Amino acid sequence: MAQEAPDISQLSFEDALRALEDVVRRLESGEVPLDESIDLYERGEALRLHCQKRLDAAQARIEKIVAGPDGAARGVTPFDPEGRAGG
């Protein structure tokens, strides 16, 4: 019998992302029976939505931090992986 999957709502972003990667790997292998593939797809979608929710919450927290002391937004600067100052 298959091991019971953990409740997605209790997973950290990193654990949910790892679980999603595992689902994708299993689906791409082509070795999974149709019924299990459907179940995996549904779980994968739930994991994707959970990850997106966690990312949205993180973005909202960052935008709140970027707000000035008076609560007014000072603007959002796009992320620059090169570390250059915004123009």
Side-chain angles (χ1 to χ4, degrees):
M1 181 168 211
Q3 181 180 354
E4 185 69 24
D7 180 14
I8 291 171
S9 67
Q10 302 304 309
L11 295 176
S12 69
F13 173 81
E14 293 79 10
D15 289 341
L17 187 58
R18 276 190 289 276
L20 180 56
E21 289 168 345
D22 182 55
V23 165
V24 170
R25 245 188 323 276
R26 291 181 64 198
L27 287 172
E28 287 179 342
S29 76
E31 306 280 323
V32 183
L34 178 61
D35 287 342
E36 189 177 345
S37 292
I38 293 168
D39 292 341
L40 279 171
Y41 184 85
E42 289 173 343
R43 180 157 177 84
E45 180 61 11
L47 287 162
R48 185 194 68 77
L49 289 171
H50 177 71
C51 287
Q52 186 62 54
K53 226 190 256 187
R54 298 295 298 250
L55 288 172
D56 290 346
Q59 181 178 356
R61 288 179 65 196
I62 290 168
E63 288 174 357
K64 185 176 180 181
I65 292 169
V66 178
D70 61 356
R74 292 186 292 194
V76 178
T77 305
F79 173 71
D80 181 2
E82 302 288 323
R84 295 181 303 254

